[in-house]
Every structure is written in structure tokens, then in C-alpha cells.
Amino acid sequence: MTTYTLRSKRRRSALRTVAFLSPWLIGFGLFFAYPLVSTVYFSFMKYDGFRPPVPNGVENWTYVFTEYRLFWPALRNTLWLVVVMVGCRVVFGLGIGLLVIRIKSGGGVFRTLFYLPHLAPPVAATLAFVFLLNPGTGPINSVLESLGLPAPGWFTDPDWSRPALTALALWGIGDLMVIFMAALLDVPKEQYEAAELDGASAFGRFRHITLPHISPIVLFAVVTGVIQTMQYYTQPLVAGKVASGIIGGSGQQFEPGYPEKSTLTLPQLVYDIGFQRFDYGSAAVVALVLFALSMLFTVVLMRRSSGLIGPGD
């Protein structure tokens, strides 16, 4: 076989590979690479969406990090939600999954009851929670007061607004429950039986059998939870608006983050700066910060969990 024939064969093989990859390559280029490059480009431009962009160096970056008073509260809130909300959702989802698979009768009913809240639209669920947790008329505080317990301000108290959002996220835990149930049912029962015969405790069986088998699913839940929380927009915005008494209407001005910027997140800043103040350059800076944080969390989680994935590793 000649050299020309070998080259021709390799070229055809490469073209076939590119043809099979073309749907992914086109999607990657149009919906990831091009928007990312454009965001980096606009972060160094003065652009309001109407006039042509004008280069302004690092002024947008300087403004966001040193002058824009909402950036650092939004960053702290977002990081708090990533650590606390994602952690609670994973632990709570795993606990509910462990509980439901051990129910001998009526398990289907409990699975349905726990999963139904996940199907509620985010806006409707948030509205319901705000009214339930209303410090003056909400039934939750009425029950707490009747029991002699302190009644928090919830979405009207900056110290309780983020825990209230976490409670809302835990109410819709059905998605993680289903994922963890599937993983838990896949753990070999023979290993549990052998460990029980050896005298292993319930915690020991969970630590040495259950957790190693489901660790890839735990990693999946944490990584996807971090990405979703980095995009957390609707629930805190709706909760802040309703709790403040500003639900909608023409001519009403609302600065996100009520109360006292405690429900402010970075995605809200992207919308507020870009589509309310028409400062697309600064909005691009905040979007790049979100992207960098998401990548950083993902890389750290993937690297630190490499020794945990897989049974017996």
C-alpha cells in the first residue's frame, strides 16, 4: 500500500469522524464558544445595546469590583447558597431516599408525595412559601407561637431569608430523592448481608458499603447542584418582591435583594446591570465571574473526589 493511499485513507477516516462530531461541534461553537468569546469581548467595552461598543480597557472590571456596591453582597450570598443549600439538598435527598426504600408498605405513596413538590412551578412555589412564612399572618409562625417557640421574620429578616430559601429548596427535593433511590437499590444486597454477619453496625454498613457504591451519584448531585445554584435567579427575586410588597405594575422600581440585599444573587446582577441599566460591559464581567466560579467549583470537586469514586477504591 502506497504512502498516498495511506494518507487518503486517514483523511477519509478523519472526515468521517468530523462528520459524526459535527452536531456537537456546531452546538458547542454556537451556544458555548461564541457566547463565551463575545462575553469576554464585551467585558472590555462600553456598550449599552444601542450605540456601537467602544473599548474602555479594564474600566468595567474596576467598576464591578471596587465601585458597584451590590457585587460583593451578591457574591457572598451566592457562595453561601452554594455551600449550605447544595450541602443540605444532597444530605436531605440521600436521607429521604434511604428512608423511602426501607418502607415495606405504601412506599409508592410516599415516593409520590415527596416527588410532587418538585413539579410545582418555581414562581408558584415561592409565592406559596412567602405566604406560609409571612411573619404576621402565616400559619407557620402561628404554630410556632402557639408552641412557645420564637417566630422568625423569614423573608422579611435578612438573617432568615437565606435559610427560608434553603427550606424552599428542600421542599422540592424529589429530583434528588429519585436519583439516590435508583443508586441505593443498585447496591448489592449480598454485601450488606455479609457485613451484618460480621457484626458491622448500620453506620459501618453505610460508610463502607453504601457510600463507596453511590459516590459517583453523590458527586453528580453536588456538581449539578453547584451549577444550578450559580444560576439561582427566580426564587430569590420573587421572594424579595413579594415580601417587600412590590409584586408588579408599570412604573414600579425594585432593587433586587430585599431584605437588605440578603436575597441578592449574581444572576440577578447580570439582569439588573445589563437589562435595566443597559451596561452590558459590566454585566459581562459579572457573567464571567459566575462562569469562573462554576468551573472552579467543578474542577475542585472532580479532583478531590477522584479517590472516592467507585467501590473499593
Side-chain angles (χ1 to χ4, degrees):
M1 187 177 291
T2 63
T3 304
Y4 174 79
T5 305
L6 284 173
R7 288 178 179 175
S8 178
K9 185 176 180 181
R10 291 171 182 169
R11 189 179 298 112
R12 287 196 300 270
S13 177
L15 289 174
R16 280 196 302 270
T17 303
V18 172
F20 281 113
L21 288 174
S22 58
W24 181 87
L25 292 173
I26 293 172
F28 178 82
L30 288 177
F31 301 111
F32 181 79
Y34 173 72
L36 179 59
V37 173
S38 298
T39 304
V40 174
Y41 170 77
F42 285 118
S43 70
F44 296 100
M45 298 287 168
K46 182 179 181 181
Y47 182 49
D48 59 6
F50 301 100
R51 290 166 291 189
V54 178
N56 65 348
V58 296
E59 288 185 16
N60 296 327
W61 292 84
T62 303
Y63 169 71
V64 168
F65 284 104
T66 62
E67 299 178 29
Y68 187 45
R69 60 187 179 85
L70 299 180
F71 174 75
W72 292 108
L75 179 61
R76 287 193 295 269
N77 292 336
T78 302
L79 294 178
W80 189 97
L81 292 171
V82 166
V83 174
V84 177
M85 182 184 292
V86 175
C88 289
R89 273 180 56 84
V90 171
V91 172
F92 193 65
L94 179 56
I96 295 297
L98 285 167
L99 176 65
V100 172
I101 64 172
R102 283 167 170 75
I103 297 177
K104 301 301 182 182
S105 60
V109 175
F110 283 98
R111 286 195 296 268
T112 303
L113 292 175
F114 279 116
Y115 186 75
L116 278 177
H118 176 67
L119 301 178
V123 174
T126 306
L127 287 172
F129 251 70
V130 172
F131 286 115
L132 287 172
L133 299 177
N134 186 292
T137 60
I140 301 299
N141 277 12
S142 299
V143 173
L144 292 176
E145 290 174 353
S146 66
L147 296 175
L149 299 174
W154 301 111
F155 289 109
T156 62
D157 186 345
D159 294 329
W160 282 93
S161 56
R162 290 175 298 187
L165 288 172
T166 303
L168 172 60
L170 295 179
W171 180 69
I173 200 66
D175 55 337
L176 285 186
M177 179 200 71
V178 171
I179 293 173
F180 281 126
M181 281 178 57
L184 291 167
L185 292 173
D186 196 44
V187 179
K189 294 182 179 180
E190 296 81 6
Q191 296 189 15
Y192 287 125
E193 295 170 356
E196 192 171 359
L197 289 174
D198 289 338
S201 63
F203 178 77
R205 294 195 296 271
F206 174 80
R207 170 66 181 85
H208 297 288
I209 299 175
T210 305
L211 195 56
H213 277 87
I214 68 170
S215 56
I217 308 302
V218 174
L219 175 63
F220 169 81
V222 173
V223 171
T224 55
V226 168
I227 295 173
Q228 291 171 358
T229 308
M230 286 291 180
Q231 303 170 3
Y232 202 49
Y233 175 84
T234 303
Q235 291 89 334
L237 182 66
V238 173
K241 275 193 172 186
V242 177
S244 68
I246 301 177
I247 299 179
S250 60
Q252 288 184 324
Q253 296 294 325
F254 175 74
E255 186 176 83
Y258 181 88
E260 299 180 17
K261 305 178 183 60
S262 60
T263 59
L264 187 66
T265 60
L266 289 178
Q268 294 180 45
L269 290 193
V270 175
Y271 179 84
D272 183 63
I273 300 175
F275 298 99
Q276 302 237 346
R277 307 184 183 207
F278 300 102
D279 185 357
Y280 290 103
S282 299
V285 173
V286 179
L288 288 174
V289 171
L290 266 174
F291 173 75
L293 288 174
S294 300
M295 292 297 296
L296 177 63
F297 274 112
T298 303
V299 170
V300 170
L301 288 169
M302 295 292 290
R303 289 178 63 86
R304 294 185 67 86
S305 62
S306 60
L308 299 175
I309 295 179
D313 288 354

